[in-house]
Amino acid sequence: MNSITFHQKQFAYQQIGEGFPIVFIHGFCEDSRIWEDFYAPLAFQKIIIDIPGFGQSQWIENYTLETVADGIKAVLDQLDIPECILIGHSMGGYISLAFANKYPECLKGFGLFHSHPYADTEEKKNNRTKSIEFVSQYGSEPFVKQLVPKLFSDKTRDNHQRVINTLIDRAKRYEPHAIAGALQAMRDRPDQSDVLKKAQSPVLFIVGNEDQAIPKPYSLEQTHLPERASINILEGIGHMGMFEDTANCQRMVEEFILFCLK
Ligand code: MLT
């Protein structure tokens, strides 16, 4: 991995291949390795980010999703990249929206891969606060052990035990304060529906119709907001389409990129 210094800390990324740059942003309690079998067939330049506190990026103080978006912009500036397409998984989608809000001129398009633009409900905020207390008291391992299996649908979970174990094994090593800080940043994020309503560039939606992490009504409601959208609903898939339905998701991402670059 390469890195830049951002807020006096290491912000890690990888630059792979050539062509128009596609930036991949992983979700909560993950790191850039979730994309390693996904991006290979895509014949573009890939910039794969580790968000602060996960993978090889160090934790930063005053962590907000907007700050992470600033870090991604700093990576793009370092690489002399004026325009890209962002693909964000879940929390990575929240970060993509923060980026689209602040740097719309840098985007040819962006994708919400099992994500949405709405703020947390009061109930969800309370659950985040309880999770922050839990992870701070008991550590990362018991938290991620109950989190990760639920990200897969009932139909795909049994066939993905090895991936689930790998994801848990990585996630249990993240510092509890990084997990707690990411939970807090998600809890406190603003509603970004307007970013979708005002989006000048096309938006990709990949929705798993058995995704327990994204409230069902949100998944479809959001798809009506942008002027130009590619809407993809995956039957029997949960929150991890890059593993649960890899080839289909690769095709959706590739078609979207080609559409944006037309
Ligand atoms: C994620 O996968 O990034 C999270 O499930 C998003 C969330 O908790 O809202």
Side-chain angles (χ1 to χ4, degrees):
M1 298 279 287
N2 296 317
S3 66
I4 56 163
T5 302
F6 179 70
H7 286 243
Q8 285 93 48
K9 297 287 173 64
Q10 180 172 304
F11 192 114
Y13 67 92
Q14 235 181 314
Q15 185 183 26
I16 302 148
E18 286 176 10
F20 190 83
I22 316 298
V23 179
F24 287 88
I25 314 168
H26 63 81
F28 174 59
C29 276
E30 297 166 359
D31 61 51
S32 55
R33 288 173 289 179
I34 61 151
W35 301 114
E36 64 195 358
D37 292 330
F38 186 81
Y39 62 68
L42 299 171
F44 301 95
Q45 179 185 173
K46 280 89 60 171
I47 314 287
I48 322 288
I49 302 286
D50 272 342
I51 69 172
F54 299 91
Q56 293 183 37
S57 286
Q58 292 173 312
W59 180 248
I60 52 175
E61 298 301 322
N62 306 320
Y63 195 89
T64 66
L65 302 181
E66 192 183 331
T67 318
V68 182
D70 291 339
I72 293 169
K73 177 71 168 74
V75 168
L76 295 175
D77 289 346
Q78 166 78 21
L79 298 175
D80 214 6
I81 291 175
E83 253 189 338
C84 67
I85 293 172
L86 295 182
I87 304 292
H89 177 236
S90 199
M91 180 182 173
Y94 308 157
I95 294 164
S96 303
L97 287 156
F99 186 101
N101 187 38
K102 201 158 174 190
Y103 308 109
E105 70 288 353
C106 299
L107 290 177
K108 272 274 199 204
F110 60 98
L112 301 184
F113 199 142
H114 304 313
S115 194
H116 67 85
Y118 307 107
D120 280 355
T121 59
E122 281 313 306
E123 188 188 354
K124 182 81 184 177
K125 283 185 203 282
N126 290 336
N127 288 339
R128 300 258 198 226
T129 303
K130 283 189 198 139
S131 297
I132 291 168
E133 287 162 7
F134 181 90
V135 79
S136 306
Q137 187 171 356
Y138 299 105
S140 304
E141 186 165 352
F143 178 74
V144 302
K145 271 189 163 160
Q146 52 82 30
L147 172 84
V148 175
K150 287 193 289 200
L151 302 177
F152 290 74
S153 77
D154 290 344
K155 293 199 179 78
T156 66
R157 191 173 302 116
D158 285 351
N159 289 337
H160 288 83
Q161 271 314 319
R162 199 192 285 192
V163 173
I164 290 171
N165 291 341
T166 302
L167 293 174
I168 291 174
D169 197 52
R170 289 174 188 165
K172 71 184 186 194
R173 293 163 213 267
Y174 305 140
E175 296 287 344
H177 71 262
I179 294 179
L183 283 163
Q184 188 177 326
M186 289 194 284
R187 183 193 65 192
D188 299 341
R189 74 190 192 281
D191 183 281
Q192 299 279 31
S193 312
D194 270 357
V195 176
L196 287 186
K197 285 186 201 151
K198 291 185 194 145
Q200 296 291 308
S201 55
V203 182
L204 168 72
F205 296 100
I206 297 182
V207 173
N209 80 340
E210 298 202 9
D211 187 344
Q212 293 180 43
I214 307 292
K216 259 224 164 71
Y218 288 180
S219 294
L220 294 182
E221 190 181 297
Q222 61 172 334
T223 61
H224 300 292
L225 299 176
E227 207 175 295
R228 283 177 299 157
S230 163
I231 304 164
N232 305 273
I233 318 282
L234 300 169
E235 292 289 323
I237 300 302
H239 193 61
M240 302 300 280
M242 72 287 280
F243 297 111
E244 298 175 271
D245 199 3
T246 312
N248 248 336
C249 291
Q250 281 164 333
R251 180 184 52 77
M252 289 161 188
V253 169
E254 183 169 30
E255 285 176 4
F256 176 69
I257 295 168
L258 294 173
F259 175 71
C260 294
L261 299 182
K262 248 201 318 226

